[in-house]
């Protein structure tokens, strides 16, 4: 079993950390992540900027340097960022732009259409949305027309699953992450998304599982192995995300 960890956080208090909605995350540096995943065959992954990191890039550049070339970054940027800064981040391993609708700390959703197209045209980045899928109908017509979009944590809610599936059918990718934070039937969501588009699901540990009711456990991986045959599990755990992030 090989894993491309499509979603985890590094939290380094040597860099700015912003309290978000009354929450301050625990420290979780590269060595913590490496220790916690030592028994997993993690061959690469994506370090995702959280709401509590705002637009700080320095922590991410340090973490990417420590993790090595098989890892990439997902960052938050203001839409006023210069092209030169985007190119610099790309050259240092950043591969996606995040819009954190659920928690804030990122650029406003009103900038999604312009900004997602801009980073895609400049450097080929996709854009990632942390959003409750029940809110997707309000922006579905925009998302459908964008070149490359993924949605975090299975869309979070049972109420949103139908809306999510409609977008999966149009090419939107979905992170199979945060099983301990979602409010839905995980098995049904995984099977429904895979049946709609076998390339859509991308597993991630969501470590250190900030604010989740239950942190990541190895049973999350075992669930995928139980639900799918070996070829499908490899796509979800490794190949889909590798192709999505490493271009």
């Amino acid at each position: 079993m090989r894993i491309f960890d499509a979603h985890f956080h590094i939290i380094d208090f040597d860099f700015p950390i912003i309290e978000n909605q009354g929450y301050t995350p625990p420290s979780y540096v590269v060595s913590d992540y490496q220790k916690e995943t030592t028994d997993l065959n993690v061959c690469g992954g994506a370090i995702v900027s959280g709401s509590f990191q705002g637009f700080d890039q320095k922590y991410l550049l340090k973490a990417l340097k420590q993790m090595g070339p098989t890892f990439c970054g997902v960052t938050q940027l203001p839409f006023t960022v210069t092209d030169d800064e985007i190119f610099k981040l790309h050259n240092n391993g950043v591969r996606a732009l995040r819009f954190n609708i659920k928690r804030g700390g990122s650029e406003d959703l009103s900038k999604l259409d312009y900004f997602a197209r801009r980073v895609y045209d400049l450097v080929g980045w996709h854009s990632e949305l942390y959003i409750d899928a029940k809110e997707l109908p309000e922006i579905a017509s925009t998302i459908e027309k964008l070149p490359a979009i993924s949605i975090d944590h299975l869309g979070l809610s049972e109420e949103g699953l139908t809306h999510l599936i409609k977008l999966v059918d149009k090419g939107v990718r979905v992170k199979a992450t945060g099983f301990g934070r979602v409010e839905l039937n995980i098995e049904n969501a995984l099977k429904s998304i895979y049946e709609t588009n076998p390339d859509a699901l991308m597993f991630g540990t969501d470590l250190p599982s900030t604010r989740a009711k239950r942190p990541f456990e190895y049973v999350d991986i075992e669930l995928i192995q139980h639900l799918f045959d070996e070829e499908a599990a490899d796509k979800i755990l490794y190949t889909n995300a590798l192709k999505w992030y490493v271009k």
Side-chain angles (χ1 to χ4, degrees):
M1 180 192 67
R2 50 187 182 170
I3 292 173
F4 186 98
D5 187 351
H7 193 104
F8 68 96
H9 303 283
I10 296 298
I11 304 163
D12 188 340
F13 277 81
D14 284 344
F15 301 93
I17 297 292
I18 306 163
E19 181 184 286
N20 177 264
Q21 300 174 356
Y23 175 81
T24 301
S27 173
Y28 193 77
V29 296
V30 165
S31 59
D32 296 320
Y33 174 80
Q34 292 172 330
K35 181 178 180 181
E36 195 157 358
T37 58
T38 187
D39 293 331
L40 304 179
N41 186 21
V42 176
C43 303
I47 305 169
V48 179
S49 290
S51 57
F52 38 79
Q53 286 156 325
F55 297 135
D56 175 54
Q57 308 301 322
K58 292 180 180 178
Y59 97 90
L60 184 56
L61 295 177
K62 175 187 174 184
L64 287 170
K65 189 173 183 180
Q66 290 177 304
M67 292 297 297
T70 61
F71 289 81
C72 61
V74 179
T75 196
Q76 298 166 159
L77 292 167
F79 83 104
T80 54
V81 66
T82 66
D83 289 358
D84 284 347
E85 179 65 13
I86 293 171
F87 283 123
K88 177 184 175 184
L89 291 169
H90 183 78
N91 290 338
N92 282 278
V94 177
R95 290 295 179 268
L97 175 67
R98 193 183 200 208
F99 290 81
N100 192 327
I101 314 308
K102 177 74 173 177
R103 302 291 185 190
S106 67
E107 186 51 86
D108 187 83
L109 190 58
S110 65
K111 304 297 193 300
L112 173 62
D113 187 70
Y114 158 79
F115 208 2
R117 292 179 188 279
R118 181 182 170 207
V119 297
Y120 183 84
D121 290 343
L122 275 177
V123 285
W125 292 359
H126 67 270
S127 291
E128 306 192 355
L129 306 183
Y130 183 16
I131 187 172
D132 190 319
K134 67 185 180 184
E135 300 176 22
L136 286 173
E138 300 171 22
I139 57 172
S141 60
T142 297
I143 292 176
E144 290 172 7
K145 298 171 186 174
L146 291 174
I149 296 289
S150 69
I151 293 174
D152 293 347
H153 308 317
L154 297 173
L156 293 173
S157 71
E158 193 70 45
E159 185 181 347
L161 182 59
T162 301
H163 307 304
L164 182 66
I165 294 296
K166 289 178 181 177
L167 290 173
V168 169
D169 192 44
K170 296 180 182 296
V172 169
R173 301 318 202 252
V174 179
K175 291 193 180 184
T177 55
F179 293 178
R181 69 170 73 248
V182 301
E183 299 287 345
L184 49 70
N185 182 318
I186 295 170
E187 292 188 15
N188 177 60
L190 290 171
K191 289 189 289 187
S192 298
I193 293 166
Y194 188 85
E195 288 169 4
T196 304
N197 181 358
D199 296 328
L201 282 171
M202 304 180 292
F203 170 78
T205 62
D206 191 34
L207 286 169
S209 306
T210 55
R211 284 188 271 209
K213 290 177 293 183
R214 173 184 69 76
F216 162 74
E217 296 177 354
Y218 188 74
V219 293
D220 297 337
I221 296 173
E222 292 179 325
L223 175 62
I224 292 170
Q225 293 174 314
H226 170 72
L227 289 176
F228 301 96
D229 63 29
E230 187 174 345
E231 181 181 353
D234 186 61
K235 285 174 69 67
I236 296 167
L237 293 169
Y238 182 74
T239 310
N240 286 349
L242 181 72
K243 291 180 177 178
W244 188 241
Y245 283 98
V246 182
K247 301 181 179 72

